[in-house]
């Protein structure tokens, strides 16, 4: 059976990149028959960078609310919080014993987040991809829907699955497939078309958050960086114009049409005309999600019940895998409590 796993960090509010690169795809995947889906709020990942501990628990609920508001249905998907299933951290440690430092050092996300001060980066940040591998392998996920930025981490997960099998002479973990087919696998910053839209970018004007009001969305799109040329009449001529390409990609993804169709509709028009149209599409698409999210956050007990049930289901699956991995690795289970 196909089994899907994915997660997002409660580092801050979700933005349009998270939505178009991953979350929208998760929702669409709920249409698939004979598929089990696990969607997680990965709070243990979120603490690998400096964070506000007074806000983490609230941020975790907000991400769960965003999942549900976007259309994740707890009847079709198991929705839970990573730290509520301790097996994630346990399997991570076991996988850490077979993870090569050299490979982890080559991870782009580590290099980006550690910056120039690599020596002072935490072990948690360095081992982030190993925890992500544990998240996925714990449920023997076959498919992992993510944005393009996570491709390298997925390759490491596949690598670790093979290393485990080879080291212990088993055919236990299969190779999870990345599913990078969201409508916009890489949404770029509104202020710099060469950088990805990110929760942790300093300026809020670089991103559209799922909780932004219509006025904020209109303002951010109006102020988005562009060049002074009109939109061309073919997609090829958008090459070398990253900001223009980004706005066209966002429009296409939100309107559910191709980029070619967007170009056909707006060929020859200046951004003064295109931006208000984009803002309309964005508000129309996001306003119902924001409204639902706010409703859910007014009734936190409902979200907590969903997360409680989800953790219970996830733990059963996780405990089984961990027990099997203990057997394979020769660890004693004599007094193991589950
Ligand atoms: N700009 C993006 N375009 C498309 N997809 C994106 N994703 C993130 N940014 C974009 C996808 O969203 C999912 C959840 O990501 P995450 O919470 O693990 O965070 P991240 O990938 O590290 O990116 P963020 O949102 O910018 O967070 P920070 O700034 O905290 O690192 C993933 O599937 C990701 O691919």
């Amino acid at each position: 059976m196909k089994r899907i796993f994915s997660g997002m960090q409660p580092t801050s509010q979700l933005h349009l990149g998270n939505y178009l690169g991953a979350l929208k795809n998760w929702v669409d995947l709920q249409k698939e028959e004979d598929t089990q889906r696990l969607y997680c709020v990965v709070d243990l990942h979120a603490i690998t960078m400096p964070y506000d501990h007074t806000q983490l628990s609230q941020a975790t609920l907000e991400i769960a609310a965003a999942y549900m508001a976007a259309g994740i249905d707890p009847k079709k998907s198991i929705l839970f919080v990573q730290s509520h299933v301790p097996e994630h951290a346990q399997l991570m440690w076991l996988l850490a014993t077979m993870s090569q430092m050299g490979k982890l050092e080559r991870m782009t996300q580590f290099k980006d987040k550690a910056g120039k001060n690599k020596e002072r980066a935490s072990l948690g940040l360095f081992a982030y991809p190993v925890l992500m591998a544990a998240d996925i392998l714990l449920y023997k996920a076959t498919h992992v829907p993510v944005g393009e930025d996570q491709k390298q981490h997925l390759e490491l997960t596949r690598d670790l699955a093979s290393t485990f099998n080879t080291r212990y002479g088993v055919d236990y973990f299969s190779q999870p497939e990345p599913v990078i087919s969201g409508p916009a696998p890489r949404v770029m910053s509104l202020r710099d078309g060469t950088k990805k839209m990110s929760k942790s970018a300093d300026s809020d004007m670089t991103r559209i958050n799922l909780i932004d009001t219509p006025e904020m969305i209109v303002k951010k799109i109006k102020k988005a960086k562009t060049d002074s040329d009109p939109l061309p009449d073919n997609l090829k001529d958008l090459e070398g114009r990253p900001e223009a390409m980004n706005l066209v990609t966002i429009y296409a993804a939100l309107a559910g049409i191709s980029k070619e169709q967007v170009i056909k509709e707006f060929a020859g028009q200046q951004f003064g005309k295109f931006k208000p149209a984009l803002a309309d599409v964005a508000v129309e698409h996001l306003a119902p999600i924001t409204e639902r999210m706010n409703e859910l956050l007014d009734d936190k007990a409902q979200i907590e019940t969903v997360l409680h049930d989800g953790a219970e289901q996830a733990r059963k699956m996780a405990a089984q895998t961990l027990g099997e991995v203990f057997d394979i690795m020769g660890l004693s289970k004599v007094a193991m409590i589950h």
Side-chain angles (χ1 to χ4, degrees):
M1 187 174 50
K2 195 166 164 179
R3 192 176 283 165
I4 292 168
F5 175 91
S6 200
M8 299 207 190
Q9 302 178 74
T11 29
S12 177
Q13 296 295 337
L14 293 189
H15 54 71
L16 198 61
N18 300 133
Y19 179 67
L20 294 176
L23 184 53
K24 194 167 184 304
N25 201 13
W26 298 4
V27 175
D28 293 342
L29 286 165
Q30 291 186 135
K31 292 185 201 124
E32 294 197 4
E33 306 272 327
D34 292 326
T35 305
Q36 200 165 26
R37 286 158 287 258
L38 296 112
Y39 296 129
C40 185
V41 183
V42 289
D43 54 348
L44 297 178
H45 283 282
I47 60 173
T48 57
M49 288 290 281
Y51 70 101
D52 181 352
H53 68 279
T54 64
Q55 294 300 316
L56 182 62
S57 160
Q58 172 66 15
T60 301
L61 280 188
E62 284 173 7
I63 301 291
Y67 288 0
M68 290 163 74
I72 298 298
D73 177 355
K75 291 195 197 80
K76 294 183 183 155
S77 306
I78 300 174
L79 208 163
F80 68 105
V81 178
Q82 184 185 32
S83 62
H84 297 177
V85 182
E87 286 82 357
H88 285 253
Q90 287 178 280
L91 182 60
M92 182 218 156
W93 178 255
L94 302 179
L95 294 176
T97 64
M98 51 201 94
S99 300
Q100 290 175 11
M101 310 252 294
K103 284 184 185 165
L104 293 174
E105 252 170 12
R106 286 197 287 276
M107 295 291 121
T108 313
Q109 183 175 291
F110 174 69
K111 287 194 243 174
D112 286 350
K113 294 204 167 172
K116 291 196 185 84
N117 223 342
K118 220 169 74 177
E119 293 301 313
R120 304 194 72 179
S122 72
L123 175 60
L125 183 67
F126 189 65
Y128 182 113
V130 186
L131 179 58
M132 181 164 157
D135 299 338
I136 296 165
L137 298 178
L138 195 55
Y139 302 101
K140 305 204 188 103
T142 56
H143 294 81
V144 186
V146 283
E148 217 170 63
D149 60 320
Q150 292 299 326
K151 206 169 159 186
Q152 199 186 25
H153 287 168
L154 247 301
E155 270 157 27
L156 194 99
T157 300
R158 290 165 61 85
D159 207 54
L160 272 172
S162 310
T163 306
F164 179 91
N165 290 346
T166 310
R167 182 169 292 188
Y168 294 99
V170 289
D171 186 15
Y172 183 68
F173 287 127
S174 55
Q175 299 267 302
E177 293 288 334
V179 184
I180 303 177
S181 61
R186 195 169 180 83
V187 177
M188 309 311 280
S189 155
L190 296 180
R191 288 309 179 93
D192 179 350
T194 62
K195 293 206 175 100
K196 78 161 192 158
M197 188 177 280
S198 163
K199 294 192 216 91
S200 47
D202 288 339
S203 166
D204 192 55
M205 294 301 283
T206 59
R207 58 186 167 255
I208 293 173
N209 303 304
L210 292 193
I211 51 142
D212 283 349
T213 60
E215 294 73 34
M216 284 159 92
I217 295 176
V218 171
K219 185 174 164 200
K220 286 178 177 179
I221 292 178
K222 194 169 168 199
K223 293 203 174 265
K225 184 180 168 198
T226 44
D227 51 44
S228 52
D229 292 338
L231 282 166
D233 59 8
N234 68 84
L235 210 52
K236 195 148 192 337
D237 286 354
L238 274 183
E239 276 168 27
R241 299 176 62 187
E243 285 84 15
M245 176 64 102
N246 189 35
L247 296 187
V248 167
T249 306
I250 293 174
Y251 188 106
L254 287 170
I257 58 176
S258 67
K259 284 186 256 190
E260 285 80 1
Q261 281 171 292
V262 180
I263 288 295
K264 216 166 141 196
E265 199 178 323
F266 290 96
Q269 303 220 15
Q270 296 290 344
F271 283 99
K273 276 265 166 58
F274 180 69
K275 282 181 171 179
L278 174 60
D280 283 349
V281 178
V283 169
E284 194 188 328
H285 198 96
L286 299 180
I289 299 179
T290 313
E291 202 179 310
R292 175 86 188 112
M293 221 178 122
N294 288 331
E295 275 167 24
L296 282 161
L297 287 167
D298 280 343
D299 176 14
K300 287 188 189 146
Q302 190 190 339
I303 310 174
E304 283 163 5
T305 306
V306 167
L307 294 178
H308 183 270
D309 293 351
E312 232 169 41
Q313 292 179 68
R315 274 208 85 176
K316 279 192 196 124
M317 297 161 79
Q320 167 145 4
T321 304
L322 196 73
E324 288 164 3
V325 170
F326 265 44
D327 285 338
I328 293 169
M329 292 182 68
L331 291 151
S332 159
K333 293 199 300 192
V334 172
M336 207 171 163
I337 300 162
H338 276 298

